[in-house]
Amino acid sequence: MTIPVLICDDSALARKQMARTLPKEWDVEVTYATNGAEGIEAIKAGKGEIVFLDLNMPVMDGYEVLRTVQQQDLPAMIIVVSGDIQIQAHERVKALGALDFIQKPVNAGAITNILEEYGILTLALKDEAQQAENPMLKVDLRDACQEVANVAMGRAADLLAKLLDVFVLLPIPNVNVLEVSELTMALKATESEKKISALCQGFIGAGIAGEALLLFHDSSFQDMAKLMNMSNPDNASTEIEVMMDTGNVLIGAFLNGISAQLDMHFSQSHPVVLGRHCTVNDLIHDNAGRWQRTLAMEINYKIEGHDVECDLLLLFTEDSMPTLEFKLGYLMG
């Protein structure tokens, strides 16, 4: 009997990777959804007996999907597939009725093991029509970069969560090719009038180079210092230490997450404080000469229950684009 399977993820690359990892002889009919609202409609239409669900999506995220399925008692067995690997994320989705949790990027062995463990894997030969590629699986460079950033973002958040014993709220990464004049507009999560402090750290690999920019909201210093068990949170040297430590965690883990996916290694320079207690506009204006046309990955991190917020922006040089495209080609192919 053919089983209706739903893959719900806003990334075309993630949908493609997920579809590829399903057991090749599993008799299924696969439907795709690009956000939680589409996913709920597909489940109600009987197209999602088994659901592979992302957490970070627009319109309706994975947590909302799980709550809706639970509240309305919809017929779906849900396996969460996410880059958010925080222990609390696992616990929360299980409490909302998820069958299990798989870390991105997915692999066929993990999928098969879970399907076999829960007794939902039935094997039958698929016909060629079922094996044809769905138009929703076409992937472009920006989508691929966004999914790579999504996985790296989750690894950085998990490290920060473990170090501080907190839950880190994760957004959908924002990825764009920008001129330097557009950098301010790219920082949508940072209102122009808010005061920030910033540090920058260069990175370089084989054919790929750039700078990581951490924008730390000034209102976050006191709470962050307390979480780090630092005294004198109002002290200028404490503020710099907080910013440096946060940068070391987020930038290092994020770059490691990217390098693991692209099968390469990055070397990092010493972090440099770019500005303190300034606006984004001032920061970009004062450092405009550092950045030209660039591929930018932006992630806004917030800590639940605390007044802590910072933006991590990875700016890849224009010269890095050919190597990035080549590396991502293996994921997109």
Side-chain angles (χ1 to χ4, degrees), residues 227-280:
L227 286 170
M228 292 179 170
N229 296 317
M230 293 182 180
S231 57
N232 302 320
D234 295 326
N235 184 276
S237 60
T238 301
E239 289 184 350
I240 292 177
E241 186 177 357
V242 165
M243 191 163 55
M244 287 289 188
D245 286 352
T246 305
N248 284 336
V249 172
L250 293 181
I251 295 171
F254 195 94
L255 286 173
N256 285 338
I258 291 179
S259 64
Q261 294 176 82
L262 300 185
D263 191 25
M264 63 182 304
H265 173 72
F266 289 118
S267 296
Q268 297 169 235
S269 64
H270 189 75
V272 176
V273 175
L274 286 187
R276 298 194 60 226
H277 311 303
C278 60
T279 66
V280 172

Side-chain angles (χ1 to χ4, degrees), residues 176-220:
N176 286 294
V177 176
L178 303 170
E179 304 292 338
V180 66
S181 60
E182 299 173 299
L183 280 176
T184 304
M185 294 176 60
L187 297 168
K188 296 176 183 177
T190 307
E191 297 177 15
S192 59
E193 67 271 16
K194 285 186 176 180
K195 294 293 184 178
I196 62 164
S197 296
L199 65 82
C200 187
Q201 187 168 20
F203 59 88
I204 188 167
I208 297 178
E211 291 187 310
L213 183 63
L214 182 73
L215 307 183
F216 202 89
H217 294 221
D218 283 358
S219 60
S220 304

Side-chain angles (χ1 to χ4, degrees), residues 10 14 30 61 97 101 153 156 168 171 178 229 271 273 285-286 288 304 308:
D10 61 313
V30 181
D61 66 22
F101 190 108
M153 169 186 74
V168 182
L178 303 170
N229 296 317
V273 175
H285 178 268
D286 293 344
E304 185 178 71
V308 176

Side-chain angles (χ1 to χ4, degrees), residues 311-323:
D311 290 274
L312 177 62
L313 193 67
L314 255 70
L315 306 173
F316 294 87
T317 64
E318 187 172 8
D319 292 342
S320 301
M321 296 299 291
T323 304

Side-chain angles (χ1 to χ4, degrees), residues 91-105:
E91 294 171 346
R92 292 182 184 198
V93 299
K94 287 289 190 72
L96 288 170
L99 202 63
D100 217 317
F101 190 108
I102 299 174
Q103 176 181 337
K104 286 184 175 181

